[in-house]
Amino acid sequence: MTNDAGAWSIRTAEPGDVSAVARIYAEHVLHGTASFEEVPPVVEEMARRMRAVQDVGLPYIVAEVGGVVVGFAYAGPHRPRAAYRHTVEDSIYLAAAAQGRGLGRALLEQLILRCEATGRLRQMIAVIGDSANAGSIAVHARAGFRMVGTMTDVGFKFGRWLDTVIMQRPLGGA
Ligand SMILES: CC(C)(COP(=O)(O)OP(=O)(O)OC[C@H]1O[C@@H](n2cnc3c(N)ncnc32)[C@H](O)[C@@H]1OP(=O)(O)O)[C@@H](O)C(=O)NCCC(=O)NCCS
């Protein structure tokens, strides 16, 4: 999909996008609290993660501005045990320069549509690193997620304790 002004577009991620995706994610791992990883995964690991999502028929998408990948989002299995198979967990990361222009919302809405189109998914969960992450909480609330709750002090990064905020949205009118 492309926005009205043609300023950005969203499409399915391809293997050739992995190095851009890994670069964007590495910035957030190294400097942000949305991800609780502390060491950026190498490109091969990011490629393995992308394949793992796409191999089980779940969406992994990228946003481009002027042909350059500036963000990505995917829905992975929420938890591996069998009874969780109708529940997914979303992830969205934008390059700093691409934030605050509606792209996060567009990526999340596209992810929801693609999950609903599978016809087999019932719930999407957001596990938001850091209760101070107002941008992520806002983008999920805007996309119809309700607040489930906060797990306090479950992470430790950059020398401080971090909360995890859990939000949830039904899929397909479930
Ligand atoms: C969180 C993130 C994906 C949001 O994407 P974005 O493109 O910056 O957000 P958008 O411009 O689409 O904003 C969507 C809505 O959230 C609101 N919003 C965005 N950032 C906000 C902030 N810091 N505080 C309050 N509201 C905010 C916007 O006003 C907008 O609301 P509206 O549609 O009612 O106008 C992006 O900022 C990002 O990559 N952040 C760092 C990594 C991260 O936290 N990822 C999420 C992991 S769960």
Side-chain angles (χ1 to χ4, degrees), residues 28 34 92-94 99-105 127-128 133-136 138-140 142:
H28 291 291
I92 320 166
Y93 289 92
L94 295 179
Q99 291 174 19
R101 292 156 45 179
L103 256 179
R105 184 176 153 200
V127 180
I128 298 168
N133 191 342
S136 185
V139 84
H140 284 94
R142 190 73 166 83

Side-chain angles (χ1 to χ4, degrees), residues 44-74:
E44 292 71 24
E45 169 61 12
M46 292 301 282
R48 190 198 63 73
R49 294 181 189 185
M50 185 185 287
R51 277 196 309 273
V53 167
Q54 293 180 328
D55 283 354
V56 292
L58 292 174
Y60 200 126
I61 57 182
V62 293
E64 285 184 315
V65 173
V68 175
V69 172
V70 296
F72 66 97
Y74 61 90

Side-chain angles (χ1 to χ4, degrees), residues 88-164:
V88 289
E89 188 175 314
D90 75 285
S91 294
I92 320 166
Y93 289 92
L94 295 179
Q99 291 174 19
R101 292 156 45 179
L103 256 179
R105 184 176 153 200
L107 276 167
L108 183 53
E109 286 174 355
Q110 184 60 212
L111 205 61
I112 290 165
L113 284 175
R114 290 183 183 213
C115 284
E116 289 182 330
T118 67
R120 63 185 163 89
L121 300 171
R122 301 274 291 184
Q123 301 289 332
M124 185 178 280
I125 309 291
V127 180
I128 298 168
D130 195 352
S131 47
N133 191 342
S136 185
I137 293 169
V139 84
H140 284 94
R142 190 73 166 83
F145 285 65
R146 71 174 174 84
M147 186 62 74
V148 175
T150 301
M151 297 194 292
T152 52
D153 295 349
V154 288
F156 188 80
K157 189 174 180 183
F158 305 137
R160 65 188 175 94
W161 295 102
L162 294 170
D163 301 338
T164 296

